[in-house]
Amino acid sequence: MSNSKNLKNKRKTKRKNKNTKGGEVQRIDNSKKNIDFERHMRDYFNNYGTAKQRWVRGQLKLPNNMRYESPDINSKMVDLPDFNPTLWNNYPELHANAGRRVQASHNCFTYGLNLQQEKTKKVCDDRLLDKKNKYKSCGKPQPGNAFGLPRVEGYEGYTCPNLHTKQSIENPYIFPVKEAEQCPKGHYKIALVVTDKPGNNGTYHYYRQGKQGNKILWDHKDGGRPATNKDASGKLIPMLSKADRDYTKEGGVNYNRICNYYCVPSSDKHKTMDIFIKGSNSQGGKKTKKNKNNKKKKYTRRS
């Protein structure tokens, strides 16, 4: 065997054995990074105050140089996204099945942003039809992809500081707030959560605050699963910090760490997401000629 082949095999073995011991995958512990991030955000709020105080001092910029206006109950209900699972979930028995191509292709991040994208649906369709895709899964948009950042690789990347940074670079109009803090007019609230010890299937997750009838509650969509307004115990979520986020009994993840709460613009114009496609121009792949007729990414309007 040539030296180049030996070196190649060594690299493969090294990658394969990373975070393993005795052939078993070891649980990565991201606790320190997440605790350090919590401390950092606590210092940030202590030093810079609420979002309104930051706006007054010119440290926070709202879309279109909007003024910071505190919402009343009526304006808040207008800004909140509706919990409407028929737009996100697959109901084969329904003739008009709006969520047919959405459930598998859109995840908690897109749901948190309240955005749907035709490109993401098509990529998912193509991957599910690909015979080489033995897992029958399709990629989904991740924080940072729209800015050209690659998707998170390895469970050590599913940390509060890493995801916060990717999200902030990609969506500068999404800004952090405390749990009890209200978002200004034209915004609603999301929350980023992670697990300190990812294990074999740990990842991140987003929850979204929305309206359900005349109530303000949290809802979410975990990966390619259906959107739901229930926590791990099957209860409604009026307060996320008190909700059951431990899905291990279902073979899922215990999202024990709330990284932070964020205010998101209600308008589609001031937020973005995209799907990672290996080798595309934005990901450092082969460049393609620019098309003068290229249009901005289109998002589906959800009522």
Side-chain angles (χ1 to χ4, degrees):
M1 189 181 286
S2 66
N3 289 335
S4 61
K5 284 186 178 179
N6 276 326
L7 182 60
K8 200 172 185 180
N9 286 336
K10 281 182 181 178
R11 284 174 180 165
K12 282 184 179 178
T13 304
K14 189 175 181 181
R15 282 197 297 268
K16 187 177 180 181
N17 292 336
K18 188 179 181 182
N19 300 319
T20 64
K21 185 177 181 181
E24 294 183 2
V25 177
Q26 298 299 295
R27 291 175 67 83
I28 295 167
D29 192 338
N30 290 330
S31 302
K32 186 179 185 307
K33 292 179 181 178
N34 294 332
I35 291 171
D36 287 346
F37 178 80
E38 280 188 348
R39 188 180 299 114
H40 165 75
M41 291 308 302
R42 192 160 52 245
D43 291 342
Y44 175 82
F45 291 129
N46 287 337
N47 292 331
Y48 297 102
T50 65
K52 186 171 185 178
Q53 290 170 334
R54 301 197 301 272
W55 177 82
V56 169
R57 292 194 296 265
Q59 296 165 332
L60 174 65
K61 186 177 180 181
L62 299 181
N64 295 333
N65 291 317
M66 288 170 52
R67 289 184 56 81
Y68 191 107
E69 295 184 56
S70 298
D72 54 35
I73 187 61
N74 292 325
S75 63
K76 185 171 184 177
M77 293 301 281
V78 169
D79 293 331
L80 290 171
D82 286 304
F83 174 64
N84 191 348
T86 58
L87 295 179
W88 297 87
N89 300 347
N90 186 13
Y91 297 98
E93 69 278 8
L94 296 182
H95 178 67
N97 188 4
R100 181 175 61 84
R101 297 171 61 232
V102 179
Q103 180 175 315
S105 59
H106 288 67
N107 58 359
C108 64
F109 179 54
T110 61
Y111 188 79
L113 295 180
N114 201 30
L115 293 176
Q116 294 179 9
Q117 187 189 59
E118 189 60 33
K119 171 186 170 183
T120 296
K121 297 177 191 176
K122 186 178 185 310
V123 169
C124 185
D125 289 342
D126 292 343
R127 289 179 179 175
L128 291 177
L129 291 172
D130 185 358
K131 293 180 179 179
K132 295 180 181 179
N133 183 3
K134 61 181 179 180
Y135 298 108
K136 290 300 175 187
S137 61
C138 53
K140 300 171 184 65
Q142 310 289 348
N145 286 173
F147 193 77
L149 301 176
R151 59 177 294 138
V152 177
E153 296 289 353
Y155 294 124
E156 65 275 8
Y158 291 124
T159 64
C160 293
N162 187 38
L163 293 162
H164 169 87
T165 300
K166 285 175 175 286
Q167 172 192 283
S168 301
I169 291 173
E170 179 181 65
N171 281 286
Y173 287 124
I174 295 178
F175 55 90
V177 290
K178 289 183 177 181
E179 179 182 12
E181 196 174 340
Q182 284 200 86
C183 292
K185 280 186 179 180
H187 294 74
Y188 63 92
K189 194 179 289 185
I190 62 172
L192 170 63
V193 301
V194 296
T195 178
D196 284 336
K197 296 183 178 180
N200 293 331
N201 61 349
T203 179
Y204 66 92
H205 192 46
Y206 280 91
Y207 289 84
R208 183 182 83 181
Q209 194 176 52
K211 59 183 175 229
Q212 300 172 32
N214 60 353
K215 294 181 179 179
I216 298 175
L217 298 166
W218 291 85
D219 47 73
H220 58 119
K221 183 184 183 302
D222 191 359
R225 298 179 181 87
T228 178
N229 59 352
K230 306 288 179 59
D231 67 4
S233 295
K235 298 178 181 178
L236 294 174
I237 313 174
M239 193 171 185
L240 184 61
S241 58
K242 293 185 177 180
D244 183 1
R245 304 186 304 277
D246 185 355
Y247 298 88
T248 52
K249 50 185 172 288
E250 304 170 6
V253 181
N254 178 15
Y255 296 111
N256 65 297
R257 183 81 55 184
I258 298 179
C259 297
N260 214 78
Y261 296 86
Y262 300 89
C263 291
V264 180
S266 300
S267 170
D268 293 355
K269 296 178 182 178
H270 306 302
K271 54 191 174 184
T272 187
M273 58 83 169
D274 204 357
I275 189 168
F276 173 86
I277 301 177
K278 192 174 182 180
S280 68
N281 188 30
S282 62
Q283 307 299 339
K286 186 177 179 181
K287 291 186 177 181
T288 54
K289 290 183 179 180
K290 289 185 178 179
N291 184 352
K292 292 181 180 179
N293 296 321
N294 275 349
K295 296 180 180 179
K296 289 184 177 180
K297 293 190 286 288
K298 282 191 174 181
Y299 298 116
T300 305
R301 173 65 61 181
R302 297 142 317 283
S303 57

